[in-house]
Amino acid sequence: AQSVAQPEDQVNVAEGNPLTVKCTYSVSGNPYLFWYVQYPNRGLQFLLKYITGDNLVKGSYGFEAEFNKSQTSFHLKKPSALVSDSALYFCAVRENTGRRALTFGSGTRLQVQP
Amino acid sequence: DGGITQSPKYLFRKEGQNVTLSCEQNLNHDAMYWYRQDPGQGLRLIYYSQIVNDFQKGDIAEGYSVSREKKESFPLTVTSAQKNPTAFYLCASTPGTTSSYNEQFFGPGTRLTVL
C-alpha cells in the first residue's frame, strides 16, 4: 500500500524568507506526486505535480518542488514567502494501478509572519 | 474551485437522518470522487466513479452511498449508519479515465454537522 508522510504539523517562516514544506512517500512503481493548498473552509487548489522528467517542478504562485527518488521525498519550496501563502498544504501520491486514487498526507499548516 | 459546485455549504443533520450532499461539475470530466476531511488526518476516499452508472467503494465507504446517473452529477448520501459523520466533505473530478495522470479538481466543500 502506498503512503505519504508530512512530518511537520506546522511550519513558521518570516515573510521574505525561503520556505520548505516536507513530504516523503512510499509507493510501488513510479511515483506520481502532487501538492495542493487549502485556505480555510475552501476546497483544495492544485499547485504542481511530478510525473516524469526534471526533478525540479515549477508550479503556481511561485512554488516549486524537488523530487528526490533516492530519498523518496517531494519537498515543496518557495524562495520568498508571502503572508498570503499562509494556508494548509497537502502532499499526495497517485496509485499506479486499479482505481488510481490519490493518497494524501495529513497536511502541514504554513504560517508566514509579517 | 472553478467548474465544480457543491451544495449546501453547511448542513446540519439530526441523529437517524439521511442527508444528501450535491456535487455538480461542468468540466466534462469522466471521473469523480468523494473525500472526507477530518482535522489532522488529511483526506480519505469514500467513493469514486470512473464513468456514468458505475461507482466503486473507497477506503471508508461504510455508512455512505452514491449514484452516478449523469456525467456531471455525483451525489453523496450520508446514511444513519454512519456513526461519526461530522466532517468536511470534498468532491473532486479529473479529466479522462482514472488511468490518466491529470490532477484532480476540487469543489468548495460541504461542512456537515450532526446535532
Side-chain angles (χ1 to χ4, degrees), chain A residues 36 38 49 94 99-100, chain B residues 37 48 59 98 102 104:
Chain A
Y36 287 85
Q38 185 181 36
K49 65 183 176 184
R94 186 157 203 171
R99 65 190 190 182
R100 310 281 182 176
Chain B
Q37 184 179 13
Y48 67 102
D59 299 320
T98 54
N102 294 300
Q104 292 183 8

Side-chain angles (χ1 to χ4, degrees), chain A residues 10-14 82-83 85-87 89 109-113:
Chain A
Q10 181 158 322
V11 170
N12 298 309
V13 64
L82 300 172
V83 172
D85 292 330
S86 298
Y89 290 81
R109 186 163 301 280
L110 174 66
Q111 292 280 7
V112 181
Q113 287 109 13

Side-chain angles (χ1 to χ4, degrees), chain A residues 67-80:
Chain A
F67 171 68
N68 188 316
K69 188 172 184 178
S70 62
Q71 297 185 5
T72 62
S73 66
F74 189 55
H75 301 331
L76 182 70
K77 300 181 179 185
K78 188 174 183 181
S80 178

Side-chain angles (χ1 to χ4, degrees), chain B residues 50-97:
Chain B
Q50 298 184 39
I51 57 173
V52 175
N53 293 321
D54 181 70
F55 49 83
Q56 305 295 329
K57 292 182 179 180
D59 299 320
I60 55 165
E62 185 176 353
Y64 300 97
S65 65
V66 293
S67 63
R68 186 86 188 275
E69 297 177 0
K70 298 185 296 183
K71 187 175 184 178
E72 60 269 25
S73 178
F74 191 40
L76 174 74
T77 296
V78 184
T79 75
S80 57
Q82 171 49 237
K83 298 305 179 188
N84 185 23
T86 295
F88 191 49
Y89 290 86
L90 289 160
C91 178
S93 69
T94 191
T97 68

